[in-house]
Amino acid sequence: MAKLPTDADILPPSDDHIFKTLLTHPDAKRVLMDIISSVIERPVVDVRVQNTELPISDVKEKGERLDVNCTIDGGDQINVEMQSSRMEEVGEDHGHKNFKNKYIYYGTDLHSSQPSKGKKYDELVRTYQVTFCCYTVLPERLSFVNRAMLRFEDGVQFSDQINIVIVEMSKLGDVLKKPIEALTSLEMWSVFFQFAEDSKYRDVINSIIETKREVGMASELLMAISTDEDERARFRSRRKFESDLESNMRSSEENGRIEGRAEERREIAKYLKTKGMPVEEIAAATKLTVDDILRL
């Protein structure tokens, strides 16, 4: 397998659009099979991608889905997605509820979408919702890969029908310290997705390519995608849109905090007025003007 040139300008496979373009490429079947095998921890001998539509170029399109929905031998359903942006995570300080609830919704929706007419419920196939994530959503857990399924309150498994797998690529620090030959398949794929773009890690990526043929196949496809001028233009457009949106959101949040502090000062001023404090003293305490306090 050809190594990645040190100075190659490679589009990041950690970008959700690039990730989907890579895994739904007509020549990526073996790559996808190996990734799924490494995630569900059993050999996969066949895979069928269910959604083969091309990525939508309009990044503002709300209907765009950037997951890779597929079935494998035996019929199990796998939904694989890259989560590269924090912008949806308006509630990070509340335990990433948006992230967690979204993937529970996706997983259960996928599971219930399978045809059930004429089947017994014990004939339904397993469903896996798999997310490679560029940032940390489970800071309390040390492992970079965490698996969840339905369990009783004492931890005993209730069912393995619905499975959620979260791969936090932000936690790969210890993985990078291991010798290449000691890496698991999932560790190799995670390092590739997170660092293939970064020239500082090019030697590590090339060592993985030498060790694992499927990663080499993925790197060749990624190189081809990276030299596509239309794909690069779409990538630049997405990055600009996302940067502008994030900047606008931060400005709105800051304006909201300023307005919130002003409203808090007005409420304090109202209370102090009811207690008979002189207006001048209220103004000094709240930093409001005398006129503002008189209008309350």
Side-chain angles (χ1 to χ4, degrees), residues 22-35 45-49 217 221:
L22 176 63
L23 296 194
T24 57
H25 191 283
D27 297 330
K29 182 174 181 177
R30 183 170 170 179
V31 169
L32 183 57
M33 286 169 53
D34 194 80
I35 293 170
V45 298
D46 191 25
V47 63
R48 296 173 300 282
V49 176
M217 297 170 64
L221 292 173

Side-chain angles (χ1 to χ4, degrees), residues 44-104:
V44 172
V45 298
D46 191 25
V47 63
R48 296 173 300 282
V49 176
Q50 306 289 16
N51 53 338
T52 56
E53 76 279 2
L54 293 174
I56 300 171
S57 58
D58 181 2
V59 296
K60 298 181 182 180
E61 175 56 56
K62 298 301 184 184
E64 183 178 13
R65 286 290 298 273
L66 298 172
D67 48 358
V68 181
N69 184 2
C70 52
T71 58
I72 61 173
D73 50 285
D76 286 353
Q77 302 180 116
I78 317 287
N79 196 67
V80 187
E81 183 169 77
M82 177 68 68
Q83 179 76 17
S84 60
S85 174
R86 293 173 179 264
M87 286 193 294
E88 296 182 29
E89 287 302 315
V90 293
E92 284 188 50
D93 56 334
H94 295 100
H96 292 277
K97 286 183 180 179
N98 190 59
F99 177 98
K100 295 173 184 177
N101 290 348
K102 180 173 71 171
Y103 288 104
I104 291 170

